[in-house]
């Protein structure tokens, strides 16, 4: 059975390792924080200027001066720090952040990503996404395998304006875990009960299948 | 001590004119210069170019200036929460230059620190880089981005002193320190204005040299855009 959004987040949380500084995008990536093992030390960075971001505040304790990049009220954990936007993107551009998890509208088989603009329809801006994808070396995309019209979001080439070129390393969807390789989308794991054929049908780009593909362990 | 205090927001905004380029601090509604924005609305000056990470919401922040059609051009990284903004942009009334957030920060900081331009990898291979100079460093492509030029910078800090030294709070810091000294005149509004010596020099985020005018703001609303809480 295909995963729900929490299932995708839960699988991605397995990629988070001890000692990682992690930047989480808006949407499914935000949920990843809920599933990270509690026996490892991880710090979450939000690009508006906090490292050591904690959970939402208790009712009545919210502070307008303490928000995340999604403009949601948050808390700061012991050991947290605040900084300006240039220093924040210095952490990102300088490759001090170990893992970036973000959503996408399309990913191509060479690792291009499109997630900021649908010409004539949605023009909200790229925020920090272009900076993140241009510099991060470990980028996981969290998204649904197909769009609302049922069309694949894993393509030979992106049709939407790009956010970054050749940058995505891994994709986790409701159907599969996929690595971006020189040969195309390499299938690593299947969601429980989902067949290789199901994944192939939902993938427009080249799907590389080598040997038996294990099911995800969640 | 060189004194930077002005009596009030009216004096702080002396000299603002139609057609000027303004930098405004803040991320979303956090750390925006509320008093200066209200005064800009009252003065009703037009054809402004505004450099600010976001464009406010429909009835607060820069949304107030947009509503009165005072802005000709907006330079931002994300403008998602504003229906009037979207309407003006799609109808062509408003010129919009979308810029990656880190690049926007770097272009402010370059202006503050006297760099004419910077190279960044952000946006290479995308429409943001179209028509711009690019250059390879260590096998990776970068885009040349010029420092901003602005007439006024409006920033908001938590505490400040009469010498113009500033301390910010939490994530309300964001773009505010980077815009100080990045324009011809920097106007800082603070929640609490104190006498020289009352702030610990070790804790100052922005030295007063970057600030021309400082005043204590009034009636801060500090609106929360997305109130998210958990239960006890």
């Amino acid at each position: 059975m295909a995963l729900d959004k929490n299932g995708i987040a839960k699988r991605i949380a397995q990629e988070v390792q001890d000692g990682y500084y992690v930047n989480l995008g808006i949407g499914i990536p935000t949920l990843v924080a809920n599933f990270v093992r509690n026996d490892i030390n991880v710090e979450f960075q939000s690009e508006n200027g906090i490292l050591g971001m904690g959970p939402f505040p208790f009712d009545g304790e919210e502070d307008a001066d303490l928000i995340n990049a999604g403009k949601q009220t948050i808390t700061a954990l012991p050991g947290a720090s605040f900084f300006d936007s240039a220093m924040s993107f210095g952490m990102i551009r300088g490759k001090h952040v170990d893992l970036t998890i973000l959503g996408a509208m399309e990913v191509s088989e060479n690792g291009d990503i499109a997630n900021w603009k649908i010409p004539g329809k949605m023009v909200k801006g790229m925020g920090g996404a272009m900076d993140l994808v241009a510099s991060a070396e470990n980028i996981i995309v969290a998204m649904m395998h197909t769009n609302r019209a049922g069309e694949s979001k894993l393509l030979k080439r992106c049709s939407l304006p790009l956010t970054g070129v050749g940058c995505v390393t891994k994709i986790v969807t409701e159907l599969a875990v996929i690595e971006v390789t020189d040969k195309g989308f390499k299938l690593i794991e299947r969601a429980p009960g989902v067949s290789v054929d199901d994944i192939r049908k939902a993938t427009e780009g080249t799907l590389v299948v080598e040997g038996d593909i294990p099911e995800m362990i969640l | 001590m060189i004194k930077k205090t002005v009596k009030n927001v009216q004096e702080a905004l002396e000299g603002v004119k139609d057609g000027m380029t303004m930098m405004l601090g803040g991320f979303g509604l956090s750390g925006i210069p509320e008093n200066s924005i209200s005064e800009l609305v009252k003065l009703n000056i037009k054809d402004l170019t505004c450099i600010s990470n976001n464009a406010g919401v429909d009835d607060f922040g820069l949304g107030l200036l947009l509503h009165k059609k005072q802005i000709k051009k907006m330079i931002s990284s994300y403008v998602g929460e504003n229906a009037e903004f979207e309407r003006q942009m799609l109808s062509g009334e408003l010129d919009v230059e979308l810029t990656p957030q880190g690049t926007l920060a770097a272009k402010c900081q370059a202006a503050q620190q006297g760099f004419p331009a910077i190279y960044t990898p952000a946006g290479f291979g995308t429409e943001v880089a179209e028509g711009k100079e690019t250059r390879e460093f260590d096998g990776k492509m970068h885009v040349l981005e010029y420092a901003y030029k602005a007439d006024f910078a409006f920033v908001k800090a938590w505490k400040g002193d009469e010498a113009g030294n500033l301390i910010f709070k939490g994530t309300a810091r964001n773009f505010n320190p980077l815009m100080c000294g990045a324009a011809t005149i920097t106007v800082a509004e603070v929640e609490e204005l104190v006498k020289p010596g009352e702030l610990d020099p070790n804790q100052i985020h922005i030295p007063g040299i970057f600030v021309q005018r400082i005043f204590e703001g009034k009636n801060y609303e500090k609106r929360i855009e997305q109130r998210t809480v958990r239960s006890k």
Side-chain angles (χ1 to χ4, degrees), chain A residues 93 130 134, chain B residues 100 103 107 117-137 140-146:
Chain A
R93 207 181 297 112
M130 282 193 183
Chain B
T103 302
K107 285 164 71 101
I118 53 107
Y119 277 104
T120 176
F124 179 78
T126 77
E127 61 181 54
V128 165
E130 278 170 21
K132 293 178 183 167
E133 286 181 53
T134 56
R135 185 167 163 181
E136 188 180 318
F137 294 94
K140 188 173 171 113
M141 291 306 294
H142 293 73
V143 184
L144 184 69
E145 294 279 2
Y146 289 93

Side-chain angles (χ1 to χ4, degrees), chain A residues 12-54:
Chain A
I12 292 175
Q14 296 173 8
E15 306 287 322
V16 179
Q17 295 179 22
D18 191 24
Y20 266 16
Y21 294 102
V22 182
N23 180 288
L24 300 177
I26 294 162
I28 302 174
T30 306
L31 301 172
V32 172
N34 301 333
F35 299 104
V36 174
R37 281 162 46 193
N38 53 20
D39 61 334
I40 59 174
N41 293 308
V42 173
E43 283 193 29
F44 292 104
Q45 194 245 23
S46 197
E47 63 267 24
N48 58 314
I50 176 173
L51 197 58
M53 175 170 54

Side-chain angles (χ1 to χ4, degrees), chain B residues 13-215:
Chain B
L13 267 72
E14 232 163 63
V16 297
K17 287 201 290 268
D18 289 355
M20 279 186 161
T21 297
M22 313 290 195
M23 289 179 164
L24 298 107
F27 183 97
L29 301 178
S30 191
I32 59 172
E34 292 185 24
N35 282 242
S36 296
I37 292 171
S38 297
E39 188 61 19
L40 285 170
V41 172
K42 265 191 220 149
L43 291 171
N44 201 27
I45 54 169
K46 304 272 187 192
D47 296 325
L48 300 176
T49 295
C50 290
I51 302 167
S52 183
N53 188 55
N54 310 93
V57 294
D58 277 320
D59 61 343
F60 198 56
L62 285 181
L64 300 169
L65 290 171
L66 283 164
H67 188 73
K68 285 184 70 187
K69 303 198 165 84
Q70 292 176 254
I71 302 178
K72 177 186 69 178
K73 181 177 182 181
M74 196 70 224
I75 300 173
S76 301
S77 85
Y78 189 80
V79 292
E81 331 299 342
N82 195 315
E84 174 64 11
F85 184 99
E86 206 162 342
R87 192 197 65 71
Q88 288 185 23
M89 177 169 64
L90 293 172
S91 71
E93 291 166 58
L94 180 69
D95 187 10
V96 179
E97 184 177 310
L98 290 168
T99 303
Q101 197 175 130
T103 302
L104 199 142
K107 285 164 71 101
C108 292
Q109 196 176 42
Q112 176 193 63
Q113 301 183 357
F115 292 110
I118 53 107
Y119 277 104
T120 176
F124 179 78
T126 77
E127 61 181 54
V128 165
E130 278 170 21
K132 293 178 183 167
E133 286 181 53
T134 56
R135 185 167 163 181
E136 188 180 318
F137 294 94
D138 295 328
K140 188 173 171 113
M141 291 306 294
H142 293 73
V143 184
L144 184 69
E145 294 279 2
Y146 289 93
Y148 288 126
K149 289 189 169 69
D151 299 293
F152 274 84
F154 297 105
V155 305
K156 192 252 167 185
W158 179 36
K159 292 180 182 177
D161 66 15
E162 291 175 351
N165 296 309
L166 302 177
I167 296 177
F168 302 90
K169 181 167 167 265
T171 55
R173 190 183 317 188
N174 55 65
F175 288 83
N176 284 299
L178 308 169
M179 291 176 173
C180 292
T184 308
I185 293 175
T186 297
V187 174
E189 57 179 89
V190 297
E191 288 179 52
E192 193 185 342
L193 184 65
V194 301
K195 298 256 178 255
E198 288 186 34
L199 299 179
D200 177 356
N202 288 300
Q203 306 295 329
I204 303 291
H205 292 134
I206 281 291
I209 192 169
F210 292 117
V211 175
Q212 278 68 48
R213 303 172 186 174
I214 188 168
F215 68 99

